[in-house]
Each structure stands twice: as C-alpha cells, then as structure tokens.
Amino acid sequence: MTKEKTQARREQLAKLRAAQKSKERRTAMLMWGAGAFVIILLVGIVGFYVIQERAASSLDGVKSFAYKGSQHTLIKVDYKEKPPVGGEHNPVWQQCGVYDEPINNENGVHSMEHGSVWITYRPDLPKADVDKLKALVTTDYLLLSPYPGLKVPVVASSWNHQLELTGVDDPRLARYIAKYKQNPTETPEYGATCTGNGSTDQTAAQSPIPATSPSAAPSGAPSATEMPKASPSS
C-alpha cells in the first residue's frame, strides 16, 4: 500500500512539473510573441514616418520646361507660366535680394538665366511667413518678391523649372534651392553675376516695362534701345 502511495505521489509530482513547464513555455512564447509584435510595430511606424518624410521633401513635383536662353526684348512679355520660368526677357537683370513689391517678370527671368532661384509668394501671406522667407535669402542668386495671382502660397522658380509649395515651411523649398541655385547643368549663363553693372534694383511700379516698342527718339535723345541702368542697391 505504501509503495502504491509513493508511486501515486511521484506521478502527481511529475504531472505538476509537466504542467509547470508547459505553463512556463506558454508564458515564454507569449512574451516572445509580444516582443516580436512590438518590434514589428515599431519598425512599421518608423518606416511609415520615413516614407512620409521622404514624400514630403521629394522634388518629384518639380515641373520642367524647355526654354532657350539669350533672347532679349525691350517690351513686356506675355509669359505662359506665371511666374515665368524662361523665354524672352529684358536685357537688364534683377539684382538678387528681397523686394517688398512685385518686380518685372522680364528682369526676373534674366536673373534666372544667370542661375538665380526666384521665390514668389502671395501678397496676402502673413507677415510672420514672409519674414521666414526673407530669412532664407542670405546668399547670392536668390530673389524674393510678392506675386499677385498665385494659386498657391509660395512658388520657387529657376530657369526651366518650377515647384509649387504648400507654404513657407514646406521642406521642399530648401531642397529646391540647394539643387537649382547656380546649377551648372541647368543654368544657361552659368557664372554670370546677379548684381552689379547691367542690373536693376527697381520694382515693376518704379520702372515699368513698355507694352510696345518706344517710338523713335528725337535727335540727341537716348535711343529706344538704350536701357537705363539702375545703380546697385547699397
């Protein structure tokens, strides 16, 4: 009888140990499974945000055109794109820098032919946003001016390229500037200056470009082809 009890106790203990081990295995599997799920979840979240960030800063939205350089005209040009991205332009280029009023398209296009990026914004943009844009224009070959009629808050333009932006904080603006400002492949007159002799710092209101060719000048007066040159801004 004693042997039977001893054997029964042994079997009971064996069952208890087996049950405990089974429980431990299930717990371990649950822990490993939960850990793997957390890792997969974290990888998915990080991947999602990386993809989102790349999409937000991608330059896939840049529109490209095929205008040839070195086409000068003394009259206003009816540009197909607004702001323009190339084509005929005034012999005088716009001095790079910040303007609080609209500038002549024809002068701005000439600056882009020299490698400038022209940043334009809606005139009703809040002052705080305009100040952010002004803070970007700290180097040469950058133009900033308001542009009436824009469909989006901000547009970045360079010769034969343009990007519409969602606002001043759009991360693509900095990437666009880095890629297209003085781009040796895309700039028709790479290395030409954006300031100095032959440029103007006048706005469109200060120095309007005529819609038609001026009539012949009287004897002794400057000819129609002699364009006034504004002195560089201080």
Side-chain angles (χ1 to χ4, degrees):
M1 196 70 178
T2 303
K3 290 182 179 180
E4 292 177 354
K5 289 182 178 180
T6 301
Q7 182 63 28
R9 190 178 296 114
R10 286 176 180 173
E11 290 176 356
Q12 183 67 23
L13 288 173
K15 289 180 180 179
L16 290 173
R17 290 193 188 100
Q20 183 64 29
K21 288 182 179 179
S22 177
K23 183 178 180 181
E24 289 174 354
R25 283 196 297 269
R26 287 198 301 272
T27 302
M29 289 178 66
L30 287 173
M31 290 179 64
W32 278 104
F37 174 77
V38 170
I39 292 173
I40 292 171
L41 182 63
L42 288 174
V43 170
I45 291 172
V46 171
F48 172 79
Y49 280 106
V50 168
I51 292 172
Q52 288 290 96
E53 178 62 25
R54 287 181 179 176
S57 58
S58 171
L59 292 180
D60 290 343
V62 174
K63 297 177 182 178
S64 298
F65 305 86
Y67 289 105
K68 295 180 180 179
S70 303
Q71 300 181 69
H72 292 173
T73 179
L74 297 175
I75 63 174
K76 288 192 72 62
V77 179
D78 184 15
Y79 291 102
K80 182 179 179 181
E81 292 78 31
K82 292 178 175 59
V85 293
E88 287 187 308
H89 50 274
N90 195 269
V92 177
W93 60 90
Q94 194 76 33
Q95 285 188 19
C96 289
V98 173
Y99 294 87
D100 293 322
E101 297 178 9
I103 61 175
N104 288 309
N105 284 328
E106 296 76 12
N107 300 128
V109 170
H110 196 155
S111 292
M112 292 194 295
E113 186 184 42
H114 288 191
S116 303
V117 170
W118 184 8
I119 305 168
T120 49
Y121 59 90
R122 283 201 306 234
D124 62 352
L125 206 65
K127 182 180 181 301
D129 287 349
V130 176
D131 289 341
K132 288 182 180 181
L133 292 176
K134 289 181 177 180
L136 287 174
V137 187
T138 56
T139 59
D140 205 2
Y141 294 99
L142 286 176
L143 272 172
L144 175 67
S145 69
Y147 200 98
L150 284 187
K151 296 179 180 178
V152 295
V154 183
V155 176
S157 306
S158 56
W159 190 270
N160 276 337
H161 294 91
Q162 190 170 81
L163 178 63
E164 295 180 343
L165 301 161
T166 58
V168 299
D169 296 320
D170 193 321
R172 296 175 297 169
L173 177 55
R175 293 191 63 181
Y176 186 94
I177 293 172
K179 180 174 182 177
Y180 291 106
K181 189 185 77 166
Q182 271 287 275
N183 184 306
T185 304
E186 306 291 347
T187 302
E189 295 183 8
Y190 180 73
T193 183
C194 192
T195 58
N197 235 1
S199 66
T200 181
D201 61 358
Q202 302 293 293
T203 64
Q206 293 169 332
S207 182
I209 292 176
T212 57
S213 298
S215 58
S219 177
S223 68
T225 57
E226 290 177 346
M227 296 296 297
K229 296 179 181 178
S231 59
S233 58
S234 57

